[in-house]
Amino acid sequence: MEPARPTARPAQLAALGAAPQATQPQPEVLRGPVTRLPVPRFVSLKGDEGNVRRGPSLSHRIDWVFRHAGMPLRVVGEFGHWRRVEDRDGAGGWVHYRLLSGVRTAIVQSEMVELRARPDLNAGVIAMAEAGAIVRLGECEPDWCRISGGGAKGWVPKGAIWGVGPDELRD
């Protein structure tokens, strides 16, 4: 007959690290079937114009043409060499991947946005940006992004631009 083993008390188990720690599950990142990059994600129009097609091939009808170099677009789907994109108004279609760039840009949504020296409403105003201006996107904090365009660089509230996710942080 074997001697009885002593039972461990819960306090002893916790002290030994045996108690499982509660962890928050990380949200799953959806990835495109072709590139394995996150979907949705932001890109920009590489050239001065890009045909937007009804489907992912040259045989599909052109619905319209994007005509602004650097225009920010959101990739919402992938099929072969084609990317389904949307503009800030939600209008979209299929664009060949060669017409897109990974360079991050944004479009100013608010009238006359103040570019500030620091990500702070009390910081000095460096310049003003008009609604519709396409700017280069720099680093982003939870509520502010640094942008550049027209020879000026400064910080703007994240809500004043389109081309960056609300929770997105950039170095």
Side-chain angles (χ1 to χ4, degrees):
M1 179 170 209
E2 285 186 31
R5 291 176 37 187
T7 58
R9 295 187 179 127
Q12 289 172 321
L13 287 175
L16 295 172
Q21 296 293 322
T23 58
Q24 278 296 75
Q26 293 297 321
E28 188 174 332
V29 175
L30 298 176
R31 299 204 173 264
V34 178
T35 63
R36 302 302 301 152
L37 293 171
V39 173
R41 68 179 177 276
F42 288 96
V43 297
S44 60
L45 187 63
K46 193 183 283 186
D48 290 333
E49 63 180 45
N51 293 335
V52 181
R53 295 181 180 272
R54 185 154 294 182
S57 76
L58 292 174
S59 63
H60 284 90
R61 187 176 101 191
I62 296 171
D63 282 338
W64 62 85
V65 179
F66 288 134
R67 296 193 186 275
H68 297 285
M71 181 176 177
L73 299 166
R74 181 174 34 222
V75 174
V76 295
E78 300 180 345
F79 184 83
H81 292 301
W82 296 85
R83 305 295 173 259
R84 183 159 179 73
V85 298
E86 295 176 344
D87 66 9
R88 70 178 173 153
D89 299 321
W94 292 90
V95 175
H96 195 273
Y97 81 99
R98 286 189 174 168
L99 300 176
L100 303 174
S101 169
V103 173
R104 294 293 299 274
T105 61
I107 191 162
V108 176
Q109 297 194 104
S110 305
E111 289 294 327
M112 300 311 289
V113 173
E114 297 173 330
L115 276 70
R116 298 192 175 267
R118 294 182 322 281
D120 179 352
L121 285 175
N122 296 319
V125 175
I126 296 171
M128 303 292 285
E130 294 183 57
I134 295 173
V135 294
R136 187 89 176 246
L137 185 65
E139 62 186 290
C140 289
E141 296 182 352
D143 299 319
W144 292 82
C145 287
R146 189 166 187 194
I147 62 171
S148 60
K153 249 186 215 184
W155 291 87
V156 296
K158 198 180 271 186
I161 57 174
W162 186 87
V164 63
D167 298 326
E168 185 177 353
L169 303 176
R170 291 175 43 89
D171 291 329

